[in-house]
Amino acid sequence: MNCKEVIERLPEYWSGELDETVKNELTAHLKGCLTCQQEWALLQSAMNALRNAKTPEPPPELLVRIQAEVKARQRLKPVFVWRWQWATAAAVATFVLLCLSLPLLQRAREKAQMPISPMVAERAVPALPAPALELPPTVAPSKPQIPSIATLPTPKERLEKPRRKVLAERPGSERISEAPETGLRTTGPSEPSTSKDLPLLSIPSGEYREEAGENIAPEISVPAEKIAPQIAQLPSEPRKVPFIAELELSEWLRVQKPELKMGELPATPSPESPTGIPSVAGAPRARRSEGIESQYPAMGRHAVPPMQMGGGQAQMFAALPLNLRWKGYETVVVGKVRLWQLSLVSETPQVITIAVQPGERVEVLNAQMLLGEGKGLVLWRDKLPAFKEATIPLLLRVTEPGARRLKVTVEMADGRTFSWWCVFAAVEREEPVRIRKPISFQVEQWTTLDLLSNLAWESKSAFLVPETVANRVISIPMRTMSIYEALTLLERQLGGKWLRLGNTFSWSTPVPAFAVPAIKQ
Amino acid sequence: MREERQSDENLVLKAKRGDTDAFNLLVERHYKRIYSLAFQMLGNAEDAADATQETFVKAFEQLRYFRGDASFSTWLHRIAINTCKDMMRRNRSVQFSQLTPEDEHTEFDPATLTEPNPDEILAERERTELVWLALGKLSDEAKQILVLCDMQGFSYAEVAAILNLPEGTVKSRLHRARNAFKEAWKSLMREQIEPLKRPKGGDEK
């Protein structure tokens, strides 16, 4: 064995896959050859390093990201179109079939009136559909009855009954149950003519066919009352589409202990805080800029509730009735699904709706139902279980770079509504954040929201402000200043404070000063 | 969740019927493994996350073609490997120094390594870094086989199923890949160790 051969075989030597003789030969060579020894040492160290190399854990949001993407794809799947197509196909097929088989049907009826025991019918029918696929006219007499309404499997039923023999059983019959499900009840008999490649939908077939057989048989030969109970058994509730936000929220909802919750409420600055100019914040006297609404016509105005976050006098002893905070935020990269987490802290958990209004070119993937024009998408709608803090996941996808806004609205059971604006920047690629960057102003007056949009874009940060504050007009000196300066300016003029967490800023409004003595006593 | 104990096959059946939750359970079960595979193939976290996401999206969309010939995990790994390869092809704009084929191993420089154990010189983290670097120098074929066999710990039979190759081919490719990896490792070691040696006076060189 020369060195070249030895070195070539070292990997096998290492993994112990050599025959005894070759192995001994190799060992002998290694003993006397320094070069090969070194190669051997190298191989060992390389393989050890390779085997021990630790792979980092996946980023925590990856799972949610994947699942959101899958859900988004699920929604993109043209389920409805499919069904519609099937329905059409079924209708056409029925028509053709009927035309062809009318004379036969006539005969069939005559036959049907002849005494056939239900048993016979039951057995006979399941066997028929397979040939029926190819030869409709000849089998027509029995076939038209197959997919009676009674056989329609509701989605629930589908879930409950795992199909038993589908794979093993008559593949030819697979697509029977599909057409009826499309809702084309009147045209039940048509399905055999449908083509072969039913994806996804075709799976639960074998069993339905059987059921079809069972259910149809009586139709042929047995008086109608026998069918009735069978129909009644079938769950008839409408298909319930799993509500994405529902699933996610229920997963994310965390009920927390009160003391934890209090820790989560650093938002309420004490009245003696330097910037705390009391009474400004909560008052619902926000002026609205014409600019915003003309710029974002899609975002209709929400009714301004009698009491806004942090401001209501009735709530003065309860600190903040509702408090929205950033929990997790990722820079939004154009085209990628990103997860945001907002934490909603509530003293009084009678939240009934959490909705978002996506702005232009912002898609909120985990929101589905439309609330009505200009009112946004529902993330959650129901009575939430008692909670102190709920985590609201927002799965976003943005199609173009730029400063973007979202409005999160929380509706309480007593009719009050609280809204926040989420302002953020969508970037092409992950970019480093430079908050100290200078920003220059050419205007003297701006609404908070417009200013924040600019700041978000310049600093790639995200901002969260209650709507009352968002729509206030502020005056800005026309010059260049740092982003921090601009933020401080906002604090001074609006009487609140930014809570910063990484590159995200949440606005906290002071509780009106007069409320505090009451709490102390 | 309660459903956790269901077999993959069961969940696949449900997912095929349109049950997204079942599919999500599958994702939950396998995403870490797929991520680690993707990381090993691609060498960086961002691409690995994207590849993982893409793998599952592909799996979701092609689920109906999954016939159960292999296990779901094998099928998923196959998709992941292909996704990673696609991604590498896309990313490969500049560098790809194909490693010298085995027959050029002959010339050795005995002076290359005088330290008895280079492992001691490098801290563990550095070594891991070097592993990614060395893997990056391999061909896609060599890399995938090393990752599957030596990092993911699949058996020959499993790798053969994933890559759709005969077992014999897997073995021979693996040996070649290990040698190639050793060569990449050697050149990296040289780069790492030379600067450490120099201050001491260059040893035999």
Side-chain angles (χ1 to χ4, degrees):
Chain A
M1 245 187 196
N2 61 26
C3 288
K4 188 181 163 187
E5 282 168 343
V6 167
I7 285 161
E8 237 162 61
R9 309 208 79 163
L10 279 180
E12 290 165 87
Y13 186 66
W14 179 79
S15 56
E17 288 170 67
L18 286 177
D19 332 337
E20 213 46 37
T21 47
V22 185
K23 197 173 138 190
N24 293 339
E25 211 179 318
L26 213 147
T27 314
H29 178 100
L30 273 181
K31 269 183 190 160
C33 177
L34 183 64
T35 310
C36 288
Q37 273 176 28
Q38 283 171 351
E39 287 299 310
W40 171 234
L42 254 178
L43 181 75
Q44 282 177 304
S45 96
M47 293 313 294
N48 282 339
L50 184 70
R51 292 209 159 168
N52 296 327
K54 286 204 179 79
T55 315
E57 282 288 300
E61 87 290 351
L62 182 62
L63 179 63
V64 186
R65 236 174 79 182
I66 296 171
Q67 292 179 339
E69 188 78 36
V70 166
K71 274 173 185 164
R73 296 295 170 120
Q74 166 94 339
R75 260 187 297 154
L76 286 180
K77 273 189 185 173
V79 176
F80 178 73
V81 177
W82 261 107
R83 296 183 162 196
W84 181 84
Q85 284 169 343
W86 279 104
T88 316
V92 171
T94 313
F95 181 72
V96 172
L97 219 114
L98 278 177
C99 290
L100 289 177
S101 61
L102 263 179
L104 289 171
L105 265 177
Q106 189 59 37
R107 249 184 282 159
R109 253 181 229 148
E110 290 163 17
K111 267 193 205 167
Q113 276 153 17
M114 289 153 61
I116 300 174
S117 86
M119 292 291 285
V120 174
E122 256 177 47
R123 297 216 179 121
V125 175
L128 283 172
L133 290 176
E134 289 101 84
L135 305 168
T138 55
V139 223
S142 57
K143 200 176 49 64
Q145 281 91 348
I146 287 167
S148 72
I149 298 173
T151 71
L152 299 184
T154 64
K156 192 179 173 190
E157 190 184 2
R158 260 207 231 175
L159 285 180
E160 282 166 357
K161 300 188 182 176
R163 74 201 152 108
R164 276 156 270 154
K165 324 159 191 177
V166 179
L167 291 178
E169 221 177 41
R170 292 158 274 176
S173 64
E174 274 201 356
R175 45 216 74 97
I176 296 266
S177 67
E178 297 317 316
E181 216 193 338
T182 62
L184 246 207
R185 301 183 169 186
T186 50
T187 60
S190 64
E191 73 301 324
S193 66
T194 54
S195 67
K196 303 179 176 176
D197 52 317
L198 244 202
L200 224 71
L201 298 176
S202 68
I203 292 148
S205 53
E207 185 188 353
Y208 297 151
R209 240 198 84 291
E210 259 184 0
E211 286 176 4
E214 286 160 19
N215 290 333
I216 287 138
E219 266 183 64
I220 301 173
S221 56
V222 179
E225 61 261 56
K226 278 212 175 179
I227 308 167
Q230 269 169 321
I231 295 176
Q233 280 172 9
L234 294 170
S236 58
E237 77 227 38
R239 183 191 172 94
K240 195 188 171 200
V241 182
F243 185 15
I244 288 184
E246 188 176 314
L247 299 173
E248 253 141 31
L249 252 190
S250 57
E251 279 162 29
W252 285 85
L253 265 181
R254 306 250 190 294
V255 179
Q256 299 205 342
K257 299 249 164 61
E259 57 268 25
L260 284 178
K261 186 267 315 175
M262 291 315 288
E264 285 285 328
L265 277 173
T268 330
S270 61
E272 55 270 10
S273 79
T275 54
I277 307 160
S279 85
V280 193
R285 58 187 171 92
R287 273 183 285 154
R288 294 176 167 273
S289 83
E290 297 304 310
I292 291 181
E293 278 158 27
S294 52
Q295 226 181 316
Y296 296 88
M299 304 175 180
R301 289 178 43 177
H302 246 73
V304 179
M307 279 169 293
Q308 288 287 346
M309 184 197 122
Q313 296 185 6
Q315 260 65 43
M316 77 177 83
F317 301 114
L320 299 178
L322 262 189
N323 194 4
L324 195 67
R325 285 274 163 268
W326 293 108
K327 230 184 154 185
Y329 162 84
E330 272 185 274
T331 317
V332 179
V333 179
V334 171
K336 290 190 177 177
V337 178
R338 281 294 182 252
L339 171 73
W340 281 8
Q341 291 179 58
L342 296 170
S343 110
L344 180 68
V345 179
S346 169
E347 272 304 318
T348 46
Q350 310 107 338
V351 171
I352 49 169
T353 306
I354 301 173
V356 280
Q357 282 178 49
E360 304 161 319
R361 286 153 296 188
V362 184
E363 212 184 331
V364 182
L365 295 171
N366 56 334
Q368 269 197 338
M369 277 203 278
L370 213 56
L371 201 61
E373 334 90 63
K375 285 191 175 175
L377 299 156
V378 176
L379 268 173
W380 175 263
R381 181 182 226 168
D382 205 346
K383 258 212 167 71
L384 291 185
F387 71 99
K388 292 297 180 187
E389 184 189 344
T391 303
I392 306 172
L394 283 178
L395 284 157
L396 303 182
R397 185 156 55 191
V398 175
T399 48
E400 277 173 48
R404 304 267 166 258
R405 307 165 181 182
L406 277 180
K407 193 157 110 179
V408 177
T409 303
V410 175
E411 190 190 336
M412 309 289 284
D414 54 12
R416 286 174 302 153
T417 314
F418 302 93
S419 296
W420 290 263
W421 281 97
C422 305
V423 188
F424 60 97
V427 295
E428 289 280 17
R429 277 200 73 79
E430 217 72 66
E431 289 176 34
V433 181
R434 288 181 56 223
I435 293 183
R436 291 210 165 272
K437 215 170 155 187
I439 182 169
S440 65
F441 294 103
Q442 275 94 46
V443 288
E444 274 188 72
Q445 291 221 318
W446 227 335
T447 54
T448 311
L449 202 52
D450 288 329
L451 174 60
L452 289 181
S453 295
N454 273 273
L455 293 180
W457 177 243
E458 295 296 336
S459 62
K460 313 291 178 248
S461 316
F463 298 88
L464 186 60
V465 283
E467 196 186 16
T468 36
V469 176
N471 292 313
R472 299 264 304 275
V473 177
I474 47 160
S475 55
I476 316 164
M478 286 202 286
R479 63 175 170 85
T480 303
M481 59 177 80
S482 80
I483 286 166
Y484 274 127
E485 221 179 322
L487 291 178
T488 315
L489 188 140
L490 271 176
E491 288 186 342
R492 295 236 174 92
Q493 294 198 24
L494 299 175
K497 212 153 176 48
W498 290 112
L499 284 181
R500 186 181 163 193
L501 190 75
N503 57 341
T504 73
F505 295 84
S506 299
W507 181 260
S508 65
T509 325
V511 174
F514 53 84
V516 176
I519 290 172
K520 279 180 181 167
Q521 286 155 15
Chain B
M1 278 188 197
R2 266 164 280 125
E3 294 158 86
E4 206 79 52
R5 262 160 258 124
Q6 293 187 54
S7 71
D8 278 3
E9 284 66 33
N10 239 330
L11 290 173
V12 168
L13 281 183
K14 282 187 176 176
K16 274 185 171 182
R17 271 180 257 159
D19 181 348
T20 326
D21 288 345
F23 190 80
N24 278 343
L25 261 181
L26 287 169
V27 175
E28 227 173 296
R29 249 178 226 187
H30 294 281
Y31 84 103
K32 286 191 177 166
R33 194 105 199 256
I34 296 296
Y35 176 83
S36 84
L37 173 75
F39 190 95
Q40 287 154 0
M41 290 289 287
L42 299 165
N44 76 75
E46 193 184 326
D47 286 350
D50 284 350
T52 311
Q53 185 164 339
E54 212 174 313
T55 299
F56 281 103
V57 169
K58 277 187 195 165
F60 180 70
E61 288 184 336
Q62 295 174 9
L63 198 60
R64 64 193 137 123
Y65 302 118
F66 172 62
R67 292 274 165 248
D69 312 330
S71 74
F72 178 73
S73 158
T74 303
W75 184 71
L76 199 61
H77 276 82
R78 192 182 300 159
I79 298 179
I81 284 278
N82 289 333
T83 307
C84 291
K85 274 160 64 179
D86 284 349
M87 215 168 218
M88 290 191 290
R89 226 168 285 142
R90 261 181 273 151
N91 291 350
R92 189 182 306 135
S93 43
V94 216
Q95 55 112 168
F96 205 79
S97 57
Q98 194 80 20
L99 206 77
T100 49
E102 302 86 314
D103 36 332
E104 286 173 39
H105 286 181
T106 32
E107 38 90 27
F108 292 116
D109 178 4
T112 329
L113 290 166
T114 42
E115 279 77 7
N117 188 3
D119 290 3
E120 287 163 13
I121 300 171
L122 300 169
E124 189 189 315
R125 192 190 302 165
E126 286 167 327
R127 239 181 304 146
T128 308
E129 289 292 307
L130 282 187
V131 168
W132 307 133
L133 280 177
L135 278 175
K137 293 189 171 192
L138 302 187
S139 68
D140 292 357
E141 185 191 289
K143 196 196 286 185
Q144 72 184 14
I145 215 145
L146 275 184
V147 165
L148 289 171
C149 291
D150 286 326
M151 303 188 86
Q152 296 281 320
F154 283 112
S155 68
Y156 290 141
E158 285 166 323
V159 176
I162 292 173
L163 298 179
N164 215 358
L165 289 172
E167 258 187 72
T169 314
V170 170
K171 272 189 208 176
S172 62
R173 283 195 190 174
L174 178 64
H175 296 319
R176 253 179 289 149
R178 280 174 178 163
N179 254 335
F181 181 73
K182 182 199 68 185
E183 288 304 307
W185 186 252
K186 178 159 80 178
S187 68
L188 283 172
M189 281 301 195
R190 232 182 267 180
E191 287 165 24
Q192 292 286 317
I193 290 164
E194 283 303 316
L196 296 179
K197 282 200 294 186
R198 221 161 279 146
K200 289 180 194 166
D203 289 5
E204 285 112 304
K205 249 196 171 175

